[in-house]
Amino acid sequence: MKDPIADAARHSRLRQLREAALTRHVVSRLPPGFHGRWTHRHWAHATLLASIVALCAVLVPGMDHAMARSQPMPLASLALPLPQLAAPVQKANGQWAVVNLRKGESVNTLLGSLGVSKAQVAQMMKSSDARASLAKLRPGAELSIDAPGNGLLRAIRFQRGGDKVELSMKDGAVAAKVLPQDTEVRTVVLSGTVGDDLWESARKAGLTRANVEEMTDEIFKYDIDFDSDLSPNDRYSVVVDQAWKNGELVTTSGVLAAAFTIDGQLHTGFRYLRDGKPEYFTANGTSLKRPFIRMPIPYARLSSTFGNRMHPILGRMRMHKGVDYAASAGTPIMAAGDARVKYVGQQHGYGNVVELDHGRGQTTFYAHMSRFAHIRPGQHVEQGTVIGYVGSTGLATGPHLHYEFRVNGVYRNPLTVTMAPPAPLSGAMLVAFRQQTQRAMDKIRTVEKIIYPDMDRNVIVATAPTKPGRG
C-alpha cells in the first residue's frame, strides 16, 4: 500500500525541478571574440573549409572510378631498327672478330678483353710501326682481330689514313702490309660564294689549295684580277674528281671545269687535252691561255715604264728598253711564255740575267736576279716556270726585275704588245670537247640552280669575253 505522504513529497519535488528548468538561463557557447559579426579571419576559414569540401566532392568519385577494374587498352607493336652486332668474319683456320675501340679504351685493353695474353700484346707492341699506328686510333675506330684462342694473336686489321693495314705476327715477328681496297671515284661540283676571303670560302666548300691556285694562277689569271675584281656575293662552282676509300676522302683531282660569276658576268674554263697537253678553254672552244704573261712576277709594283727616262744611277737620259717591277728580294720570277732557255749568266750592268726564246723571233729578257732557278741553256720551259729570283745585281738601286720583250730584235713595250691567242679547237676535236663540256656544264647548272634558285636561268650558258689589256 502506497504512502500518501511520500507520493505528495515526490510530486512536489518534480514540480520544482520542472519550474527550475523552465526558468534557467542559457549559457553562450560561441567562440571567444565573436561579437555578432564575421571578421576577415572568419571569412578566410570559411572559404578554406568550403574549398576542401568541394575538392573532396570532385576527387572521391574519381578515386572510386580509378579503383574500379579498368578495361584492357588495345596495344600496338612498332618495329625499331637496332644496330646489329658485328658478326665475326669467318677465315680458314680461325676467325676474325670485328670490334670498335671505345672511349677511354686502349688497344691493349681491347686485346685483353678478347682473350689475348699479355705476352702476345707485348710482343705486338715491340714493333715501332705497330705501336705508332695503334696509338693513333681514335674512339670508334674499327679493328678486325684474328685471335684463335689460347691467348694467341695472329693479326690485326685497321684503317690508317686511306689505307687498310694488316699487322700480322709470325714466329714472334710483326709484319705490316697494305691490303688492296676498292676506290670509288666521284665527280662532284663544289660551290660557294667569295665572302670575306676566297681562300677560306673555298676551303669550306671542299676545294684544295692547289684547286684555288689553278683558278687564280692558271684558268682565270688573264680575265679576272683576284686582288681587285672580287666582291662578297660573287660565286664559283668547280668540278673535280674525288677518290674515296671506305667512306673516307683520299684525294681530290685538279680542276676539270670551273665557272666564276663576277658582277653577273660569267667566266668559264674547261680542262681538255690538246696534243697530249692539258689546256683550259671557254665553253665555245676558245683557249684561255695567252702566249705571254703580262707580269711575270707576283706581288710586284710597276716602278718604271718603257721609253726614255733619266737613269737613276748614270744620271743621264737613256732609253729604257723594258719595264721594271719592284719586289722583295727572293720573289720568284716566271717564264712569260713557253720557251727554250737561250742564255743564263751575267751581262754588264744587268747583273744576273736569263734570256728565253719563244720562237717566231720573239724573246724575253729578265735582269738583276739574285740567283737562278734550276735551268740551263737549251732547256724547254713552260709558261709560269720559275727561272730565277728578284735581286739587285748589276746597276740597280734596289731589288727589282727588269723585263724586256723583243720581236726580231726590236724592243717592244711589254705592257702594250698584243699577241694572237692560240688557235681555237675545231673539227673532231671541237666535237669531242663539246661532248665533254656538256656533261660538266650540266653538273654545274644543276648545282647552281639548287644553291642559287633565284639566278638567271641563262647565265650559266653564256661565256664572258676576255678583258682587254690582260691577255
Side-chain angles (χ1 to χ4, degrees):
M1 180 172 184
K2 296 182 178 180
D3 186 358
I5 297 175
D7 288 342
R10 187 168 57 252
H11 289 155
S12 176
R13 178 62 179 166
L14 291 173
R15 186 166 50 250
Q16 291 175 357
L17 290 174
R18 184 172 65 240
E19 290 177 355
L22 292 173
T23 59
R24 186 171 52 189
H25 294 288
V26 178
V27 179
S28 175
R29 299 295 180 183
L30 292 175
F34 184 79
H35 303 291
R37 62 188 183 86
W38 286 39
T39 66
H40 290 291
R41 186 177 63 182
H42 296 139
W43 282 110
H45 290 169
T47 302
L48 177 62
L49 179 61
S51 300
I52 294 173
V53 172
L55 185 61
C56 291
V58 173
L59 292 180
V60 170
M63 294 175 63
D64 180 68
H65 178 73
M67 295 297 293
R69 180 183 293 272
S70 59
Q71 296 296 324
M73 297 295 292
L75 300 177
S77 298
L78 177 63
L80 296 176
L82 297 176
Q84 295 182 353
L85 295 176
V89 181
Q90 296 297 324
K91 177 190 171 186
N93 303 321
Q95 65 180 158
W96 290 87
V98 181
V99 292
N100 292 91
L101 194 64
R102 292 177 295 185
K103 186 176 182 180
E105 183 180 41
S106 67
V107 176
N108 294 16
T109 305
L110 176 61
L111 292 174
S113 67
L114 295 175
V116 179
S117 69
K118 292 183 178 180
Q120 287 278 283
V121 174
Q123 191 70 37
M124 172 66 75
M125 294 305 174
K126 282 184 179 179
S127 167
S128 59
D129 190 14
R131 190 168 55 251
S133 298
L134 295 175
K136 294 179 181 179
L137 295 179
R138 296 183 177 182
E142 184 180 275
L143 295 92
S144 299
I145 299 173
D146 182 10
N150 300 322
L152 297 178
L153 174 64
R154 284 201 291 232
I156 301 177
R157 290 177 179 174
F158 57 94
Q159 200 71 25
R160 184 174 65 187
D163 298 323
K164 189 79 169 181
V165 177
E166 179 180 290
L167 299 174
S168 58
M169 287 183 60
K170 187 175 182 181
D171 298 330
V174 179
K177 66 178 180 179
V178 177
L179 302 176
Q181 295 183 93
D182 293 333
T183 301
E184 179 187 3
V185 178
R186 308 172 188 172
T187 301
V188 299
V189 180
L190 306 176
S191 297
T193 54
V194 172
D196 295 330
D197 188 326
L198 173 60
W199 291 91
E200 181 64 18
S201 170
R203 184 188 65 80
K204 291 181 179 179
L207 292 169
T208 65
R209 186 176 187 87
N211 294 149
V212 180
E213 290 176 347
E214 280 182 286
M215 285 198 298
T216 59
D217 300 342
E218 187 171 354
I219 303 174
F220 300 120
K221 68 179 177 181
Y222 302 104
D223 303 324
I224 301 174
D225 186 338
F226 285 92
D227 292 326
S228 60
D229 288 351
L230 301 185
S231 63
N233 293 327
D234 293 337
R235 65 178 184 268
Y236 57 86
S237 291
V238 182
V239 180
V240 295
D241 281 339
Q242 293 181 335
W244 293 76
K245 286 183 181 180
N246 298 326
E248 183 176 349
L249 177 62
V250 181
T251 58
T252 300
S253 73
V255 176
L256 304 179
F260 220 113
T261 304
I262 297 180
D263 293 333
Q265 189 178 40
L266 179 71
H267 301 265
T268 58
F270 299 89
R271 187 177 186 273
Y272 187 74
L273 293 177
R274 175 158 67 172
D275 299 329
K277 295 179 63 177
E279 196 172 338
Y280 286 94
F281 300 84
T282 63
N284 58 15
T286 301
S287 177
L288 289 173
K289 185 177 181 180
R290 298 294 178 268
F292 294 95
I293 301 174
R294 292 285 187 195
M295 189 169 145
I297 177 174
Y299 323 117
R301 171 180 58 85
L302 181 67
S303 58
S304 185
T305 57
F306 181 85
N308 286 321
R309 67 163 188 174
M310 180 67 69
H311 195 280
I313 294 180
L314 300 178
R316 62 174 184 266
M317 292 297 296
R318 189 174 180 179
M319 176 66 179
H320 192 224
K321 300 175 181 178
V323 293
D324 290 346
Y325 291 106
S328 300
T331 301
I333 301 168
M334 301 174 290
D338 296 344
R340 178 180 61 84
V341 180
K342 185 176 181 180
Y343 179 80
V344 178
Q346 292 185 336
Q347 192 175 107
H348 307 299
Y350 288 115
N352 294 330
V353 304
V354 170
E355 186 174 4
L356 302 180
D357 184 354
H358 303 276
R360 301 181 181 178
Q362 301 167 349
T363 60
T364 52
F365 184 78
Y366 313 79
H368 304 304
M369 292 183 176
S370 59
R371 59 189 176 93
F372 306 111
H374 298 292
I375 58 173
R376 63 185 184 280
Q379 177 184 347
H380 287 274
V381 294
E382 294 185 351
Q383 185 182 77
T385 301
V386 176
I387 57 175
Y389 301 88
V390 169
S392 54
T393 56
L395 295 177
T397 57
H400 72 283
L401 166 66
H402 174 77
Y403 172 55
E404 296 179 359
F405 191 95
R406 308 168 187 169
V407 179
N408 296 322
V410 178
Y411 294 94
R412 299 287 188 88
N413 186 347
L415 301 180
T416 59
V417 64
T418 58
M419 297 292 168
L425 297 175
S426 60
M429 193 175 293
L430 179 59
V431 173
F433 167 77
R434 284 178 173 169
Q435 290 176 347
Q436 176 179 309
T437 300
Q438 188 61 45
R439 289 192 295 270
M441 186 62 84
D442 287 343
K443 286 180 177 290
I444 294 176
R445 183 185 293 111
T446 300
V447 170
E448 290 218 347
K449 282 184 178 179
I450 294 173
I451 299 178
Y452 315 109
D454 298 330
M455 75 172 193
D456 184 355
R457 291 181 176 271
N458 296 321
V459 70
I460 201 63
V461 299
T463 301
T466 301
K467 286 186 180 180
R470 297 215 43 170

